[in-house]
Amino acid sequence: MTDVLFTVRACVLEDALVIDSFEQQAVIEGRNYRGFSQLLRDAPLVGGELPAILASTNQYVLIIDHHGDAQGFAHVDIHREVATIRRIYITTNARNLGAGSMLLHAAREEAKRRGCKQVDAIALPGDRLTKNLYERANMKARLLIASSEL
């Protein structure tokens, strides 16, 4: 019998501290990527917004666990029939073990269940780990936004 390494579940309010911890680590890891400050403006941290997000019908957060210990999360926003994975984070302990793929698959299935026809996902330039995760899931880049301040 094969031991199931990970399970995915819906986020609950009691996950607020662990989400905050994951987001702090994501900030440390991502702050050197181009576009990071813009990402924080366009896709703010879940943080103190978790109660509103959980009450919303157009957003959801999924948690991936390893034997009851949270190992990451995905925050998804739905607009019309498009689900956008605004943030996905997997702890370093769970990377390269299938946790990201399983979480991404669950996020896509939930989007389909909610009537979405398309899933978009955000990754920063240089964030090869996240881009690799999306590419392994047969997601293709369709938009690159170039920007300059005036």
Side-chain angles (χ1 to χ4, degrees):
M1 182 171 158
T2 305
D3 184 33
V4 175
L5 278 181
F6 302 104
T7 56
V8 178
R9 63 177 173 81
C11 180
V12 294
L13 200 50
E14 290 77 20
D15 292 315
L17 289 177
V18 76
I19 293 282
D20 186 53
S21 170
F22 290 157
E23 288 188 319
Q24 288 176 26
Q25 188 59 40
V27 166
I28 290 168
E29 292 177 26
R31 67 179 167 214
N32 293 321
Y33 292 130
R34 275 180 295 125
F36 182 72
S37 59
Q38 184 67 44
L39 175 64
L40 288 179
R41 285 190 296 276
D42 292 349
L45 298 176
V46 173
E49 300 299 314
L50 189 58
I53 291 169
L54 295 179
S56 171
T57 58
N58 66 340
Q59 294 184 69
Y60 57 95
V61 178
L62 298 176
I63 301 285
I64 188 153
D65 286 334
H66 172 69
H67 298 292
D69 187 24
Q71 295 296 310
F73 77 101
H75 172 213
V76 182
D77 181 52
I78 299 172
H79 182 69
R80 297 192 178 136
E81 293 182 336
V82 178
T84 301
I85 300 170
R86 295 179 110 14
R87 192 168 318 285
I88 190 166
Y89 180 78
I90 301 295
T91 63
T92 55
N93 302 0
R95 291 178 189 166
N96 299 313
L97 297 174
S101 295
M102 183 180 231
L103 184 57
L104 182 56
H105 176 77
R108 292 173 74 169
E109 288 299 309
E110 179 63 17
K112 190 185 303 183
R113 189 188 73 71
R114 292 180 182 222
C116 293
K117 305 290 185 219
Q118 177 178 321
V119 174
D120 290 343
I122 297 171
L124 291 170
D127 184 356
R128 196 70 232 161
L129 287 173
T130 302
K131 290 192 278 188
N132 286 347
L133 172 65
Y134 296 152
E135 288 170 358
R136 282 193 309 272
N138 291 320
M139 297 179 81
K140 307 285 186 248
R142 66 170 181 82
L143 177 65
L144 173 66
I145 299 174
S147 177
S148 81
E149 294 189 22
L150 298 176

